[in-house]
Amino acid sequence: MTTNAEEPQTRPRRRTPAGAAVLREDVTEAIRAAVFEELAAVGYARMSIEGIARRAGVGKTAVYRRWKSKLHLVLDVVSAIAVMGLPTPDTGSLEGDLRLLYEVTSRALRHPVASQIIPDLQAEAARNPEIAEAMQKTLREGQEGVASKIIVAAEQRGEVRAGLNEELALDLISGPLYWRSVVIRSPKLPKGYLPALARATAEALKAL
């Protein structure tokens, strides 16, 4: 039997576009980890998508499916740093909440990778407005999210007055430790520094 050339042929099944594929979370996390390592090893300026992909054990396509460029990838990492390990303390007192926050934040900031990445990104931020804006937004939001909850809880317990200057309160909470750990990069905190900082900050907040 001869097949009529005009008869409709069975259409081949359409393949799902590569970009529409489900992105594996384990691959995404491997790439993020590779970014931290690559930033710490070579810095932002020398970092490349090729180097990240090689370190993560994936192809460049896997990286580009998730992020449009090196800049977008680094901005995602900045967001991760901003909330790295930060808890929402609930110790029952303002001073206790601050002390727990400072202990966890100090460990995160002093992590060997983070301690190398953040100063490098700060240097890049001076040259790149997009990185500067992203760092300001994400790092501040990460701290503010936790610090705001500490203040609200303290208000509810009557430890601080309602309606205090929240902007100033957030600066008091976040500023000193960030200054010592990131800006002047003190190699080691003095003995008893974090409890003393928590106590002093709590008293300052009560005075607002």
Side-chain angles (χ1 to χ4, degrees):
M1 181 177 175
T2 304
T3 301
N4 190 322
E6 297 298 321
E7 289 181 1
Q9 302 296 311
T10 302
R11 294 183 178 180
R13 181 178 298 176
R14 294 181 62 188
R15 296 180 62 185
T16 302
V22 176
L23 301 179
R24 288 172 47 188
E25 186 62 27
D26 60 328
V27 173
T28 302
E29 290 306 311
I31 294 171
R32 284 200 179 104
V35 173
F36 276 100
E37 295 170 4
E38 194 75 359
L39 272 172
V42 303
Y44 177 82
R46 295 173 56 197
M47 188 181 77
S48 67
I49 295 296
E50 290 81 359
I52 293 167
R54 184 168 53 251
R55 193 180 288 270
V58 301
K60 289 192 297 182
T61 303
V63 180
Y64 282 118
R65 282 177 183 170
R66 292 161 172 82
W67 296 278
K68 293 187 293 185
S69 67
K70 179 175 79 169
L71 175 60
H72 288 86
L73 183 48
V74 169
L75 295 185
D76 181 57
V77 169
V78 171
S79 300
I81 293 175
V83 297
M84 187 190 301
L86 291 182
T88 301
D90 185 17
T91 65
S93 73
L94 174 58
E95 184 177 329
D97 288 351
L98 290 171
R99 180 169 178 174
L100 178 58
L101 174 65
Y102 290 149
E103 288 173 351
V104 176
T105 303
S106 178
R107 285 197 298 269
L109 291 175
R110 290 172 181 278
H111 187 280
V113 175
S115 65
Q116 290 176 281
I117 289 175
I118 294 177
D120 183 62
L121 290 179
Q122 285 178 320
E124 288 297 328
R127 298 185 287 268
N128 189 317
E130 287 186 88
I131 291 182
E133 182 180 355
M135 285 194 69
Q136 181 180 18
K137 181 175 184 292
T138 57
L139 290 175
R140 188 165 182 83
E141 284 181 353
Q143 285 286 337
E144 283 184 353
V146 176
S148 293
K149 292 177 182 178
I150 290 177
I151 294 170
V152 169
E155 287 181 353
Q156 293 173 344
R157 291 191 296 261
E159 293 181 277
V160 298
R161 69 176 182 83
L164 81 173
N165 185 329
E166 186 169 333
E167 189 76 12
L168 180 55
L170 295 174
D171 286 344
L172 284 172
I173 292 173
S174 303
L177 185 57
Y178 185 83
W179 168 264
R180 180 175 281 272
S181 299
V182 178
V183 179
I184 64 174
R185 303 184 73 181
S186 178
K188 186 177 181 181
L189 294 177
K191 185 177 181 180
Y193 177 81
L194 294 180
L197 178 60
R199 185 163 54 252
T201 304
E203 291 303 316
L205 292 172
K206 293 174 183 178
L208 288 182

